[in-house]
Amino acid sequence: MIQKTVIVRPERCVGCMQCMIRCAEAHSQSKALASAIREPILAKPRIHLGVGPEGRPFPSKCRHCEPAPCQDACMPWAIRDDISPGLKIVDPTRCIGCGMCAMSCPYYVIRFYRDAAAPERPGVAVKCDGCHERVAAGGIPACVTACKTGALAFEEVNLYLKEGTNRLANAVYGVRI
Ligand code: SF4
Ligand code: SF4
């Protein structure tokens, strides 16, 4: 796992779907919502909202596993780890749409759509690419930018886990934080 990643705090999610909208926008050709919705091949979100008990939303995206079951299952080597360190990124020009990656992913975060980067193909695997180009340019992932409740944050993994350790310690002593 990379040290800084998108941390999900599902208890803060209100199901507004802004993360999905901004993700699709960020992966469109024009990178602007007003024109993105008129592109011939619509960009799709790479983060998804699951619905839990009482309709509670659960934002879920690729965890960029290491080793990655999807990558191991992909025969044409379309899930690459040589594009950005720590990220498993689909190369749509190599994807044959066989679905093996999606069947191997324990988190159900892969979908199949047409992709403007390989327009001749009827459907290729589409999943989170860590917004690697935005991050390389000093930005943060689009879903995090969109989320106003703090359900998504771009943080150091170990700092987040330290926070969890403190929560556990407080729970042990009966303190709610
Ligand atoms: S698509 Fe699934 S299996 Fe592949 S890296 Fe992401 S979470 Fe892991
Ligand atoms: S933007 Fe944040 S609050 Fe809204 S659906 Fe996505 S994760 Fe939930």
Side-chain angles (χ1 to χ4, degrees):
M1 178 183 278
I2 51 178
Q3 286 308 300
K4 201 166 182 186
T5 189
V6 177
I7 303 285
V8 179
R9 292 182 175 86
E11 70 280 7
R12 296 186 186 178
C13 178
V14 296
C16 66
M17 299 171 111
Q18 285 299 312
C19 52
M20 296 177 66
I21 295 168
R22 294 301 167 186
C23 175
E25 176 189 42
H27 291 91
S28 68
Q29 297 293 289
S30 60
K31 316 253 182 272
L33 192 56
S35 42
I37 57 175
R38 289 193 289 272
E39 289 174 9
I41 298 179
L42 283 180
K44 300 289 187 179
R46 292 133 190 259
I47 183 167
H48 310 281
L49 286 187
V51 182
E54 295 158 3
R56 275 179 282 171
F58 177 76
S60 190
K61 55 174 279 301
C62 172
R63 273 73 166 169
H64 299 282
C65 315
E66 186 58 61
C70 60
Q71 189 178 36
D72 290 344
C74 180
M75 296 189 68
W77 298 334
I79 299 182
R80 296 175 52 181
D81 54 15
D82 60 347
I83 295 175
S84 184
L87 296 176
K88 302 294 181 293
I89 297 176
V90 176
D91 181 341
T93 65
R94 292 186 186 175
C95 177
I96 57 173
C98 66
M100 292 300 289
C101 56
M103 286 184 257
S104 308
C105 172
Y107 299 106
Y108 303 99
V109 289
I110 298 179
R111 301 288 187 273
F112 290 85
Y113 299 113
R114 286 188 73 209
D115 190 312
E120 72 286 0
R121 304 196 179 211
V124 296
V126 173
K127 72 170 195 69
C128 169
D129 63 0
C131 278
H132 63 100
E133 289 170 356
R134 289 168 66 103
V135 172
I140 61 174
C143 59
V144 175
T145 309
C147 185
K148 304 305 179 205
T149 67
L152 304 173
F154 191 52
E155 292 178 0
E156 296 282 341
V157 173
N158 284 340
L159 285 180
Y160 166 74
L161 294 173
K162 183 170 181 290
E163 189 186 294
T165 306
N166 290 341
R167 267 203 312 277
L168 179 61
N170 280 281
V172 166
Y173 290 107
V175 179
R176 285 179 67 92
I177 56 171

